């Protein structure tokens, strides 16, 4: 089908849809049923069975299974079945963990799936692009990614970048006119927008003419984006560490076996014990638990309104030392209300709050009627005309469709009695040059009933001042020089110093035949009308968040397109601007080299009147000073800086698809305070991972050492293989997972950011692992030796005591792992998952020891009550001996 040949009407007829009302929900459901969802086919998924079998591909597990098989053939049925059962349960656990990690990653992908605006039943509705069907009317604007193949039926300065499809990186200007031609290549189909391409400028409306695999994108299968599966730096370090640990564990196990054989143990027993020990001591589950901890942390972050798009960001968040944040909407509410107006030397104020168009105008406390004051009336009218935003009444509330700054101008005009529709009928819109944050202006061409055409421009006052030649003072035009300029400048500063966002409005009547081809043609030789100043209250929670970041050693920097004085006023209110802190404006920034910026960057707290392009320079300078930078953004031009930052943050509500795609974190509520929560969670996740690494490795060290010491002392095996495997499954597994869910220590946001190069064993973790592991091994062996009296009859009893001591020593030690300082620093009942995991482990241990049918399987015997005193006393030693010594050290 050559959609580009069809007229707008024919396209709408062919797709059975209406431009103004779109499809109904029933149409959509029927079409989805017929054509399926608007998705590209993904590659084959790994089957569940394969994933399950993968759990057993580990070399040592295979050796263990082979050894078990041999012992089964030799008649040791019970042992063989029990070991296989444990290996299978372990595999199931691993399978469950990996599935869970995979599912939550998938859910994340769904959450950050692109959304589009579609006309459904006469209303613009936000839907995910997956839900689009043939005939949907879709609107899009600069920064959006096109969700399906569209025939464009409305285009305003529309340009689309189609490199994903055509390889051409220059954006193509788009129109709505039907094209003639047989085989027009994709790149020349100027009235079409294709799935996956990017709107770089302007806005438009289109009819969906192709979805899913029926799109141009669907036809080039090799371009299908595969989901990025990225591993985090810590996961990479653990992978390397894992390899080292495997070798160490194998060598030590070998040592145990060799010493055991030399001391006279029989080879077969030692072999099975050795393999079990190796399976237990090799932390094969570590990567999976890390993934689960990361993804559970990511789930918690979603609850706190941020979505992690790239997993490594979770770790990097904990290292962030600077947050560069936009002001409008992120630190402030982006609910603008005009409160002050200035024209020709007079200032008026307006009452009223929010978007409700009710309020009075005052001049120095005296109520005035704007309809009677021509300059004021004109300022308000032109603010309404140079405006793409609509005010909608929904029940008792007013909501806006568009930009809050424009909404404020619209509402102010309506407060004076002007009506949006009748004004726009009187002044017909002819052309439009949309706002962009580099130009900091927007313009329209309107035509009145006498066919007179006017340019109306609104934008940042300092920019408009440069583009204006004259000013309307009273009813007369005056050259914009000398005192007039000084007066305007002081009016701008006056409004800005009250933290008001200021917009200037200017105009020019066009000569009858004058052509306006682009914004440069339009935005020159203007006549300045006046200024409108609007409040944008700070978000109430931001001040506290800035303070907490400060305590956490993280500097907050405000980056804004707004006026220097406005930015300064708000930064001071929020506690961002420190005494002596610098404010840098866009024009000084442009003149500086990167090196010059590096010199001062540490002292700058506010960047004002900057363009999105400056953000990249700021990120680079901060990084050159060794900072780990988090940078927010929402527009197309913000994408390079977001990408270059260590943590690129995009706005979930106002952010464009391009910004979101470049980011590693998306704020669902566009709120600065959410960045702080995400950093806190990021720090906590990393600490939790450290906690279970510490727990697991200390446990493994203990398990190996108890066997090694026993062999060196020519003792019998203190633990039988099945006991070792049981410990690996129950005592190591459950509590480690619960540690991954631990709450942060109260000082988590009172420490300096972590150094990104910090190793896994930094801050004394290595010493803690070895010392606690050593003691766990020693006390387990001590318990065994106290009870063991050299008779074979008593061996199983002594082994049961050793087993119980090992389990209890680990379960006490797990609480120590919750704190970097000391076990006494934390309330053990805070983490109920952990309490639950420990209680379950203890119960399972008691079952194995006391339940007669299980005793022969686990080679256990019922322990006499008084022996528990020895077990518990010894089991407490590894944790409390060193905790005590630390405590004394701290006190002294
Ligand atoms: P931030 O970067 O913190 O979000 P910002 O929203 O003020 O700041 P921009 O949107 O780039 O940054 O706006 C820069 C300036 O352009 C504003 O200070 C204002 O004077 C002007 N401006 C903003 N929106 C419009 C608009 N819709 N039309 C005309 N001018 C605008």
């Amino acid at each position: 089908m050559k959609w580009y040949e069809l007229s707008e009407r024919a396209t709408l007829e062919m797709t059975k849809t209406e431009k103004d009302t779109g499809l109904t929900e029933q149409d959509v459901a029927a079409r989805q049923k017929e054509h399926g969802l608007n998705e590209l086919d993904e590659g084959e998924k790994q089957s569940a069975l394969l994933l399950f079998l993968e759990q057993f591909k580990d070399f040592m597990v295979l050796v263990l299974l082979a050894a078990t098989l041999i012992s089964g053939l030799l008649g040791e049925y019970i042992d063989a079945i029990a070991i296989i059962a444990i290996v299978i349960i372990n595999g199931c656990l691993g399978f469950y963990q990996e599935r869970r990690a995979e599912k939550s990653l998938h859910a994340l992908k769904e959450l950050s799936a692109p959304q589009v605006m579609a006309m459904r039943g006469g209303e613009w509705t936000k839907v995910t692009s997956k839900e689009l069907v043939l005939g949907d009317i879709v609107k899009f604007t600069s920064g959006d990614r096109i969700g399906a193949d569209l025939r464009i039926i409305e285009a305003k300065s529309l340009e689309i970048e189609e490199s994903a499809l055509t390889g051409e990186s220059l954006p193509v200007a788009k129109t709505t006119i039907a094209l003639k031609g047989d085989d027009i290549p994709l790149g020349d189909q100027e009235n079409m927008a294709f799935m996956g391409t990017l709107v770089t400028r302007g806005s438009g409306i289109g009819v969906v003419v192709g979805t899913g695999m029926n799109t141009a994108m669907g036809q080039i299968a090799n371009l299908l984006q595969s989901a990025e599966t990225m591993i985090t730096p810590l996961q990479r370090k653990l992978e390397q560490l894992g390899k080292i640990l495997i070798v160490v564990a194998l060598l030590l196990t070998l040592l145990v076996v060799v010493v055991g054989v030399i001391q006279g143990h029989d080879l077969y027993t030692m072999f099975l014990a050795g393999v079990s020990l190796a399976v237990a001591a090799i932390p094969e589950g570590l990567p999976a638990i890390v993934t689960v901890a990361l993804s559970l942390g990511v789930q918690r972050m979603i609850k706190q309104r941020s979505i992690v798009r790239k997993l490594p960001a979770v770790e990097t968040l904990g290292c962030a030392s600077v947050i560069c944040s936009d002001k409008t909407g992120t630190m402030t509410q982006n609910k603008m209300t005009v409160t002050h107006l200035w024209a020709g030397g007079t200032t008026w104020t307006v009452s009223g709050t929010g978007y409700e168009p009710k309020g009075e105008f005052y001049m120095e406390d005296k109520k005035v009627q704007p309809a009677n004051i021509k300059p004021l009336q004109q300022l308000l009218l032109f603010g309404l005309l140079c405006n793409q935003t609509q005010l909608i009444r929904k029940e008792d509330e007013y909501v806006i469709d568009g930009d809050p700054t424009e909404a404020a101008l619209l509402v102010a005009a309506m407060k004076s009695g002007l009506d949006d529709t009748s004004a726009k009928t009187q002044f017909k819109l002819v052309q439009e040059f949309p706002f962009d944050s580099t130009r900091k202006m927007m313009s329209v061409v309107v035509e009145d009933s006498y066919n007179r055409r006017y340019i109306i421009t609104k934008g940042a006052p300092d920019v408009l001042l440069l583009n204006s030649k004259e000013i309307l003072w009273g009813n007369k035009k005056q050259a914009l020089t000398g005192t007039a300029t000084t007066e305007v400048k002081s009016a701008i500063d006056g409004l800005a110093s009250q933290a008001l966002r200021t917009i200037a409005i200017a105009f020019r009547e066009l000569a009858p035949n004058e052509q306006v081809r682009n914004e440069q043609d339009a935005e020159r030789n203007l006549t300045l009308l006046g200024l409108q100043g609007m409040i944008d209250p700070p978000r109430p929670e931001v001040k506290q968040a800035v303070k907490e970041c400060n305590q956490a050693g993280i500097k907050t920097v405000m980056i804004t397109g707004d006026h220097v004085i406005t930015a300064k006023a708000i930064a001071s209110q929020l506690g961002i601007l420190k005494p002596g802190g610098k404010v840098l404006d866009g024009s000084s920034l442009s003149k500086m080299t990167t090196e010059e910026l590096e010199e001062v960057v540490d002292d700058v707290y506010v960047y004002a009147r900057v363009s999105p392009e400056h953000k990249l320079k700021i990120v680079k300078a901060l990084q050159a000073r060794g900072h780990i930078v988090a940078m927010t953004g929402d527009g197309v031009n913000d994408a390079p800086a977001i990408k270059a930052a260590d943590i690129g943050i995009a706005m979930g509500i106002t952010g464009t698809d391009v910004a979101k795609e470049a980011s590693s974190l998306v704020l669902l509520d566009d709120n600065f305070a959410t960045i702080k929560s995400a950093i806190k969670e990021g720090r906590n996740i990393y600490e939790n991972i450290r906690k279970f690494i510490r727990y697991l490795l200390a446990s493994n060290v203990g398990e190996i050492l108890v066997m090694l010491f026993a062999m060196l002392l020519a003792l019998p095996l203190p633990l039988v293989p099945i006991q070792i495997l049981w410990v690996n499954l129950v005592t190591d597994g459950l509590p480690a997972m619960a540690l991954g869910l631990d709450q942060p220590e109260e000082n988590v946001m009172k420490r300096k950011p972590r150094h990104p190069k910090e190793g896994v064993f930094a801050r004394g973790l290595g010493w803690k692992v070895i010392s606690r592991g050593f003691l766990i091994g020693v006390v387990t062996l001590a318990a065994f030796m106290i009870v063991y009296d050299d008779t074979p009859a008593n061996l199983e009893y002594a082994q049961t005591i050793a087993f119980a001591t090992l389990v209890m020593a680990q379960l006490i030690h797990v609480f120590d792992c919750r704190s970097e300082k000391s076990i006494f620093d934390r309330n053990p009942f805070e983490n109920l998952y952990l309490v639950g995991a420990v209680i379950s482990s203890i119960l399972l241990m008691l079952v194995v020891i006391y339940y007669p049918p299980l005793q022969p399987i686990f080679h256990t015997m019922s322990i006499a009550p008084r022996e528990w005193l020895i077990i518990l006393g010894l089991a407490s030693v590894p944790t409390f001996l060193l905790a005590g010594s630390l405590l004394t050290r701290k006190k002294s």
Side-chain angles (χ1 to χ4, degrees):
M1 186 79 209
K2 292 182 197 131
W3 293 100
Y4 57 82
E5 281 191 337
L6 298 189
S7 67
E8 174 185 330
R9 195 62 258 157
T11 313
L12 292 169
E13 273 165 20
M14 284 289 287
T15 51
K16 298 198 188 68
T17 187
E18 280 304 325
K19 184 179 174 188
D20 298 327
T21 50
L23 300 174
T24 61
E25 290 302 330
Q26 288 92 312
D27 292 336
V28 174
R31 291 180 192 204
Q32 264 173 10
K33 213 165 164 196
E34 193 180 338
H35 302 289
L37 288 175
N38 176 31
E39 285 175 316
L40 299 178
D41 292 344
E42 278 182 25
E44 288 279 302
K45 268 201 183 149
Q46 191 182 28
S47 75
L49 181 68
L50 217 63
L51 184 66
F52 181 69
L53 290 179
E54 284 222 337
Q55 307 300 320
F56 305 98
K57 72 167 197 240
D58 184 68
F59 176 68
M60 283 322 291
V61 173
L62 290 176
V63 174
L64 179 65
L65 286 175
T68 316
L69 206 66
I70 296 170
S71 73
L73 291 176
L74 292 176
E76 304 268 354
Y77 302 121
I78 298 181
D79 268 5
I81 292 170
I83 291 179
I84 288 176
I86 285 197
V87 169
I88 290 178
I89 296 175
N90 213 353
C92 292
L93 211 67
F95 171 74
Y96 168 74
Q97 281 170 350
E98 276 190 30
R99 256 292 150 106
R100 183 163 182 176
E102 202 179 77
K103 272 210 184 115
S104 49
L105 289 180
H106 183 73
L108 260 186
K109 226 175 95 188
E110 292 269 295
L111 258 178
S112 50
Q115 295 196 309
V116 293
M117 292 298 280
M119 175 69 82
R120 295 273 171 90
E123 278 200 39
W124 287 116
T125 321
K126 214 174 219 181
V127 300
T128 53
S129 30
K130 195 164 86 174
E131 296 166 69
L132 288 179
V133 293
L134 199 75
D136 256 326
I137 308 288
V138 178
K139 93 174 163 182
F140 44 86
T141 173
S142 157
D144 288 351
R145 211 172 259 293
I146 299 287
D149 281 3
L150 312 173
R151 165 72 168 86
I152 299 167
I153 55 173
E154 196 176 301
K156 290 181 183 166
S157 314
L158 182 61
E159 286 182 14
I160 297 186
E161 193 253 292
E162 299 178 331
S163 62
L165 214 52
T166 60
E168 172 58 55
S169 59
L170 279 182
V172 184
K174 294 284 180 179
T175 64
T176 57
I177 305 156
L179 303 171
K180 279 253 161 306
D182 249 357
D183 264 321
I184 301 189
L186 288 182
D188 295 334
Q189 296 183 15
E190 285 164 6
N191 55 13
M192 295 286 293
F194 300 103
M195 180 195 231
T197 58
L198 213 89
V199 185
T200 50
R201 186 160 184 268
S203 59
I205 294 180
V207 189
V208 174
V209 294
T211 57
M213 292 307 279
N214 273 329
T215 54
M217 189 62 95
Q219 254 130 64
I220 4 178
N222 58 354
L223 275 180
L224 297 195
Q225 287 177 348
S226 56
E228 285 176 79
T229 42
M230 262 188 283
I231 73 164
T232 74
L234 180 68
Q235 282 177 312
R236 197 171 311 123
K237 271 187 224 160
L238 285 178
E239 235 170 47
Q240 287 156 3
L241 177 74
K243 285 185 193 136
I244 301 171
L245 288 178
I246 289 178
V247 176
V248 175
L250 281 180
L251 285 178
L252 285 174
T253 312
L254 195 67
L255 190 65
V256 172
V257 175
V258 170
V259 177
V261 173
I262 293 171
Q263 302 280 25
H265 289 287
D266 100 90
L267 181 64
Y268 165 71
T269 319
M270 281 318 295
F271 175 66
L272 198 57
V275 177
S276 310
L277 190 57
V279 169
I282 293 170
E284 77 288 340
L286 207 54
I289 306 189
V290 171
T291 315
V292 171
L294 283 169
S295 60
L296 287 177
V298 166
Q299 306 282 333
R300 283 199 298 276
M301 285 165 87
I302 295 176
K303 288 207 189 96
Q304 294 159 12
R305 325 243 4 100
S306 54
I307 295 185
V308 173
R309 290 192 64 255
K310 295 171 190 158
L311 215 48
V314 179
E315 277 168 35
T316 326
L317 271 170
C319 308
S321 59
V322 180
I323 308 173
C324 297
S325 168
D326 286 332
K327 170 181 74 70
T328 311
T330 313
M331 293 185 160
T332 64
Q333 299 179 12
N334 207 5
K335 284 206 182 109
M336 315 262 179
T337 316
V338 172
T339 57
H340 290 67
L341 296 109
W342 180 95
T346 313
T347 305
W348 297 273
T349 54
V350 202
S351 64
T353 51
Y355 293 130
E356 191 179 5
K358 264 197 202 138
E360 307 289 350
F361 289 75
Y362 298 87
M363 197 177 95
E364 290 175 358
D365 297 340
K366 242 186 41 220
K367 211 171 183 182
V368 293
Q369 289 304 326
N372 304 334
I373 307 169
K374 198 155 172 242
L376 177 59
Q377 181 73 357
Q378 203 169 2
L379 183 64
L380 290 163
L381 173 67
F382 280 16
L384 177 150
L385 290 174
C386 183
N387 205 312
Q388 296 177 301
T389 298
Q390 265 128 36
L391 189 68
I392 303 159
R393 191 178 179 146
K394 266 203 180 148
E395 282 138 34
D396 278 342
E397 233 195 339
Y398 285 90
V399 291
I400 61 163
D401 179 13
D403 171 34
T405 303
E406 297 193 348
L409 301 177
L410 185 63
V411 169
M414 288 165 79
K415 283 177 182 168
S416 78
L418 286 166
D419 177 64
D420 193 23
T421 324
S422 54
K424 282 179 180 159
T425 333
Q426 211 179 335
F427 292 89
K428 244 179 38 232
L429 181 70
V430 183
Q431 257 176 300
E432 204 166 44
F433 300 103
F435 172 76
D436 83 61
S437 9
T438 307
R439 247 167 65 242
K440 299 189 172 55
M441 291 185 281
M442 108 153 226
S443 303
V444 291
V445 179
V446 293
E447 189 177 296
D448 69 8
S449 43
Y450 304 103
N451 290 3
R452 285 181 303 207
R453 291 178 307 143
Y454 299 91
I455 298 265
I456 306 175
T457 303
K458 73 173 195 308
D462 30 337
V463 181
L464 244 70
L465 212 50
L466 298 174
N467 296 28
S468 301
K469 247 176 48 187
E470 291 173 313
I471 180 166
L472 203 65
W473 204 277
N475 287 329
K476 272 208 228 92
K477 280 187 185 169
Q478 257 187 36
L480 201 49
T481 47
T483 43
T485 313
T486 324
E487 281 223 32
V488 179
K489 280 190 175 155
S490 83
I492 297 172
D493 292 355
L495 294 180
S497 61
Q498 297 169 60
L500 298 178
R501 178 180 178 86
T502 317
I503 296 281
I505 297 177
F507 75 106
R508 173 161 62 90
E509 188 175 342
L510 289 171
N513 294 324
E514 190 176 337
Q515 290 283 325
V516 185
R517 282 161 311 203
N518 49 35
E519 45 264 57
Q520 284 86 353
D521 278 353
E523 291 157 355
R524 62 189 173 85
N525 293 340
L526 299 168
T527 302
L528 198 66
L529 256 180
L531 308 169
Q532 299 206 31
M534 49 192 82
I535 49 162
D536 177 16
R539 288 177 182 265
E541 58 280 28
V542 170
K543 191 168 179 183
Q544 175 63 19
V546 169
K547 192 170 154 201
E548 282 177 42
C549 286
N550 201 14
Q551 286 168 344
I554 306 164
K555 176 181 169 185
T556 307
V557 175
M558 177 191 276
I559 300 189
T560 175
D562 223 333
H563 195 277
V564 177
I565 301 177
T566 312
K568 221 168 157 175
I570 294 183
S572 308
Q573 278 175 19
L574 291 175
I576 293 171
L577 191 60
K578 299 268 150 11
K582 283 201 175 79
V583 179
L584 209 61
D585 69 20
S587 59
S588 328
L589 198 54
S590 296
K591 286 180 209 131
M592 283 179 160
T593 62
T594 315
E595 291 73 32
E596 282 167 340
L597 181 60
E598 270 171 44
E599 299 260 307
V600 294
V601 77
D602 276 326
D603 300 326
V604 182
Y605 290 84
V606 177
Y607 296 87
R609 273 288 181 257
V610 293
S611 303
E613 293 74 19
H614 289 129
K615 285 184 170 179
L616 185 62
K617 201 165 170 181
I618 300 171
V619 169
K620 292 251 163 83
L622 282 166
Q623 284 174 334
R625 301 285 301 176
H627 285 291
I628 300 296
V629 187
M631 168 67 86
T632 71
D634 48 16
V636 187
N637 304 341
D638 288 335
I642 295 183
K643 220 173 206 157
D646 301 277
I647 306 150
I649 304 173
M651 299 299 139
I653 304 170
T654 56
T656 55
D657 293 343
V658 187
K660 286 183 195 161
E661 282 162 23
S663 71
S664 40
L665 190 77
V666 175
L667 304 181
L668 287 175
D669 56 0
D670 292 12
N671 189 341
F672 176 83
T674 305
I675 307 178
K676 181 222 69 189
S677 314
I679 290 183
K680 184 171 177 188
E681 197 57 59
R683 287 188 175 194
N684 186 36
I685 294 173
Y686 190 85
E687 290 309 315
N688 283 353
I689 293 176
R690 268 171 67 89
K691 288 175 196 171
F692 62 68
I693 290 178
R694 174 177 163 192
Y695 173 68
L696 280 179
L697 294 188
S699 300
N700 291 353
V701 169
E703 287 154 26
I704 293 186
L705 289 185
V706 66
M707 300 294 270
L708 183 62
F709 292 157
M711 294 305 99
L712 289 172
L713 296 174
L715 292 166
L717 285 177
L719 298 162
V720 295
I722 186 84
Q723 290 168 351
I724 299 176
L725 292 173
W726 187 94
V727 171
N728 182 42
L729 177 68
V730 180
T731 327
D732 292 356
L734 283 178
M737 300 258 276
L739 278 179
L741 293 167
D742 207 17
Q743 289 83 353
E745 285 189 78
E746 42 83 21
N747 67 350
V748 70
M749 285 299 270
K750 302 225 163 69
R751 299 180 215 144
K752 294 246 154 319
R754 188 180 83 242
H755 193 280
K757 293 236 164 67
E758 181 186 288
V760 182
F761 294 115
R763 287 181 272 144
L765 197 83
W767 160 246
K768 281 182 184 145
V769 166
I770 292 176
S771 58
R772 303 316 195 262
F774 175 82
L775 286 175
I776 291 175
V778 168
V779 296
T780 307
L781 193 66
F784 177 80
M785 287 169 71
I786 291 173
V787 179
Y788 183 54
D789 63 6
D790 244 349
T791 61
N794 152 279
L795 177 60
E796 216 162 71
Y797 190 61
Q799 283 170 331
T800 311
I801 299 274
F803 169 65
T805 310
L806 178 68
V807 171
M808 289 315 297
Q810 294 189 1
L811 293 183
I812 295 172
H813 175 235
V814 75
F815 289 100
D816 191 25
C817 296
R818 294 186 60 223
S819 172
E820 292 275 328
K821 284 191 254 157
S822 146
I823 190 170
F824 302 116
D825 254 29
R826 304 208 65 180
N827 170 3
F829 297 105
E830 237 173 358
N831 182 349
L832 290 179
Y833 296 109
L834 186 61
V835 175
V838 167
I839 291 176
S840 328
S841 296
I842 292 178
L843 289 178
L844 286 169
M845 172 190 72
L846 293 177
V847 171
V848 165
I849 293 175
Y850 287 103
Y851 184 51
L854 290 180
Q855 288 176 336
I857 300 178
F858 287 93
H859 303 269
T860 48
M861 291 169 72
S862 300
I863 296 175
R866 75 191 151 79
E867 241 96 51
W868 278 105
L869 287 179
I870 303 178
I871 294 171
L872 293 176
L874 283 170
S876 313
V877 171
T879 298
F880 292 105
L881 183 71
L882 295 178
S885 72
L886 270 183
L887 208 67
T888 17
R889 216 185 299 157
K890 215 168 70 184
K891 274 187 195 141
S892 64

